[in-house]
Amino acid sequence: MGTWDIGPFDNDTAADFSYRVDEAPEEKRAEVLLATFREVTATGGEYLDSDFAVEAIASAALVAAQCPGGDPVTTSYGPKKPLPELPADLRPAAVEALDRILTKPSELLELWEESDGEEWKAGVLKLRGVLAEG
């Protein structure tokens, strides 16, 4: 995975995921995001692959952008097409996925812990906070 910064779309996997979001019909985009959350939470206590985690974090950022206090996704690596208003029931699914990503065994968590990823973790926790309140 090529990663160049700590943001939700600052890696190759998330940038590629943006194309999947853009290619989905507008009425199916919420389902694309929900699928990423379900892929993460379906692992239960099993090892969580970093690609699933990265896509779920990118999805969470898109959902959080529509919440009060959420930051807009302005990176050129995010989806190019505007998202429709997303259903509120995506928020608890996103929170559950972020909680799983921050719980071992999680490859992405381990990779960031190896490189002093406190700033990355703080960003994920900020997303979680917006989603939990929103």
Side-chain angles (χ1 to χ4, degrees):
M1 169 178 75
T3 301
W4 52 86
D5 208 344
I6 62 168
F9 289 93
D10 293 341
N11 59 77
D12 291 334
T13 302
D16 290 345
F17 172 71
S18 294
Y19 293 111
R20 275 201 356 242
V21 174
D22 280 337
E23 290 174 1
E26 184 174 330
E27 68 276 6
K28 299 286 186 186
R29 290 190 190 137
E31 292 174 32
V32 171
L33 304 183
L34 181 59
T36 68
F37 303 142
R38 289 184 174 156
E39 284 175 330
V40 165
T41 56
T43 63
E46 298 296 316
Y47 191 74
L48 174 60
D49 182 89
S50 66
D51 286 347
F52 292 137
V54 163
E55 290 181 357
I57 290 171
S59 294
L62 294 171
V63 175
Q66 294 187 3
C67 294
D71 293 328
V73 175
T74 58
T75 177
S76 61
Y77 300 105
K80 307 294 183 247
K81 297 178 182 176
L83 289 173
E85 185 170 335
L86 297 170
D89 64 352
L90 285 179
R91 295 173 189 165
V95 168
E96 185 179 359
L98 294 177
D99 286 345
R100 175 61 191 88
I101 291 164
L102 295 174
T103 304
K104 292 181 181 181
S106 168
E107 182 181 22
L108 189 62
L109 177 64
E110 291 170 9
L111 290 170
W112 279 107
E113 285 179 341
E114 289 172 4
S115 62
D116 191 28
E118 286 305 311
E119 193 176 355
W120 168 83
K121 191 173 184 178
V124 174
L125 289 170
K126 180 181 177 192
L127 269 180
R128 188 199 183 284
V130 167
L131 290 160
E133 292 174 18

